[in-house]
Amino acid sequence: MFFILIASVLILLGIYDIFSENQKIKDRMLKSILISLIFILGTRGFLGWDWYFYYPSFMNGTYIYEKGYMIYSSLISGVFKDYIFYQVVTTTIDFIALYYVLKRYCKYNIMAFAIFFSIQGLHIEVELLRNIKAIILFLFSLRYIEERKIIPFFILNIIGISFHMSAILYLPMYFVLNYKYKKQVVLIFFIGGSLYYLSNFKGIQNLINLNWSFLPQILENKILNYKEFVSKNIEREFNFYYLERVILFCLAYKYEKNNILKNSLYIWVMIFLFTSELSIVSLRIGVLFVYSSWFILTRSIEKVENKYLIISIVIFLCGNRICRSLLFPGNIINYKYENVFFYGLDYKKRESEIIKSKIYLKESYGKELLIQY
């Protein structure tokens, strides 16, 4: 309930941000929000799921990740080898970087932070410690797509790849995102994707189930391993997540003029429509483009005359997102906020809670929850 309360307060402050003309107060509020979020998340105890791997990695080098991340974490540990110190430093870097990115593209920065926090932002910051660095570096590189400067674009995203390999998907975006696609083509893909999703046709699953024995053993094994990510229990139908994509697609299609942000949203939507049968794979690829939802929603408020309509949509989408994620049984256990100054770090207690919560993993399929598999 703690984070639902924070999201609610952020939304209310975001509404004030929209209608108030006192820029000085809004600037102070935004800085206060940043400081508060950095303190709350930086001094958290063992929150979420992935700390179970990142904590021993930072303290003992138990788990080895991409070189960029390992260098980054070792530089922090070289200053002071304390996990809370690490969290404070990395959270501060993330939020200051997000501040500058959101400020560049959005007029209503407080509302942008509220939307970010509610639509996967909290979980990305808590769980995906490597991914978020790659995402932020990519967001900084968007300006170089606009300016057609390929070298700084590739430098930033190669650094991003050194934090998380999934960021390799960002490299071709230099050639993809700034293109003005015909609206009819985009609409055809969206309608086709909707039919594919709503019909619950499992084309990828059928493809994986084919006999691949004619391939070299290493490739056959890779394809067979993908079966682990396919849940037979996912029924794709008209649901909240589909409705959310329809709303955001319509907003981007009708109002967004920035090709890069609009195309990013289209990619995010298409990943969902065409690959959601793979659940976690779809989510982990889709999260690379979830930033588009933060921008499209916030910028739509600027562009639509009836601001109350868009604010209602924001409340509906953000409220559903944050509640659905935090009221999931496994997250009720693992997202119970405990500040280190009051509760300390109780490894054994949280380890037992993580083990207990894993019984709910299968229930998370298709619910877009960034939890450890």
Side-chain angles (χ1 to χ4, degrees), residues 59-78:
M59 298 302 294
N60 307 313
T62 307
Y63 297 98
I64 305 299
Y65 298 109
E66 291 87 347
K67 284 188 178 180
Y69 174 77
M70 298 306 294
I71 292 170
Y72 169 81
S73 57
S74 66
L75 286 173
I76 297 174
S77 67

Side-chain angles (χ1 to χ4, degrees), residues 136-147:
I136 288 172
L137 286 166
F138 177 67
L139 292 178
F140 272 105
S141 76
L142 292 182
R143 63 177 297 178
Y144 298 118
I145 300 178
E146 296 170 358
E147 298 169 3

Side-chain angles (χ1 to χ4, degrees), residues 26-256:
K26 293 200 290 185
D27 288 341
R28 287 172 188 165
M29 283 175 60
L30 180 58
K31 289 172 183 175
S32 298
I33 288 168
L34 279 174
I35 292 168
S36 300
L37 289 176
I38 288 168
F39 175 78
I40 289 167
L41 293 177
T43 60
R44 67 188 186 267
F46 292 132
L47 187 71
W49 302 73
D50 283 14
W51 67 267
Y52 190 68
F53 299 97
Y54 285 116
Y55 175 74
S57 173
F58 179 80
M59 298 302 294
N60 307 313
T62 307
Y63 297 98
I64 305 299
Y65 298 109
E66 291 87 347
K67 284 188 178 180
Y69 174 77
M70 298 306 294
I71 292 170
Y72 169 81
S73 57
S74 66
L75 286 173
I76 297 174
S77 67
V79 176
F80 185 39
K81 195 165 187 175
D82 178 85
Y83 193 67
I84 299 304
F85 175 73
Y86 165 76
Q87 285 187 164
V88 171
V89 171
T90 198
T91 304
T92 302
I93 291 170
D94 292 345
F95 277 101
I96 290 175
L98 282 167
Y99 167 81
Y100 284 107
V101 170
L102 294 175
K103 206 170 182 64
R104 175 179 174 82
Y105 292 101
C106 300
K107 178 181 177 183
Y108 303 121
N109 302 131
I110 296 174
M111 182 57 87
F113 263 102
I115 293 169
F116 156 79
F117 188 87
S118 301
I119 302 182
Q120 293 193 331
L122 166 64
H123 300 288
I124 292 171
E125 178 60 35
V126 169
E127 308 284 5
L128 309 185
L129 303 187
R130 289 137 57 221
N131 309 60
I132 192 169
K133 303 300 183 295
I135 292 169
I136 288 172
L137 286 166
F138 177 67
L139 292 178
F140 272 105
S141 76
L142 292 182
R143 63 177 297 178
Y144 298 118
I145 300 178
E146 296 170 358
E147 298 169 3
R148 308 312 294 162
K149 294 181 179 178
I150 194 169
I151 293 176
F153 173 85
F154 270 85
I155 288 173
L156 283 173
N157 286 291
I158 287 170
I159 296 171
I161 293 167
S162 76
F163 278 87
H164 201 280
M165 273 303 297
S166 65
I168 198 168
L169 295 176
Y170 284 143
L171 295 182
M173 293 302 114
Y174 184 85
F175 309 100
V176 172
L177 289 184
N178 208 26
Y179 189 81
K180 191 171 183 178
Y181 298 97
K182 289 183 178 180
K183 282 196 164 187
Q184 299 92 324
V185 174
V186 173
L187 197 57
I188 288 169
F189 270 95
F190 177 71
I191 293 171
S194 293
L195 292 173
Y196 181 80
Y197 180 86
L198 295 173
S199 68
N200 198 31
F201 180 71
K202 294 181 172 143
I204 298 175
Q205 187 172 327
N206 292 337
L207 193 63
I208 291 173
N209 288 333
L210 291 176
N211 185 356
W212 296 98
S213 59
F214 62 90
L215 291 176
Q217 190 68 41
I218 188 169
L219 291 178
E220 183 186 4
N221 289 340
K222 281 182 178 290
I223 292 171
L224 291 175
N225 286 338
Y226 278 118
K227 286 187 177 181
E228 296 179 12
F229 297 106
V230 179
S231 172
K232 296 178 181 178
N233 299 322
I234 293 178
E235 294 297 325
R236 292 168 299 160
E237 56 193 10
F238 189 91
N239 53 37
F240 166 75
Y241 302 107
Y242 175 74
L243 178 61
E244 176 191 59
R245 263 58 174 210
V246 172
I247 292 170
L248 287 164
F249 177 85
C250 291
L251 290 174
Y253 190 82
K254 185 171 177 59
Y255 298 111
E256 186 54 60

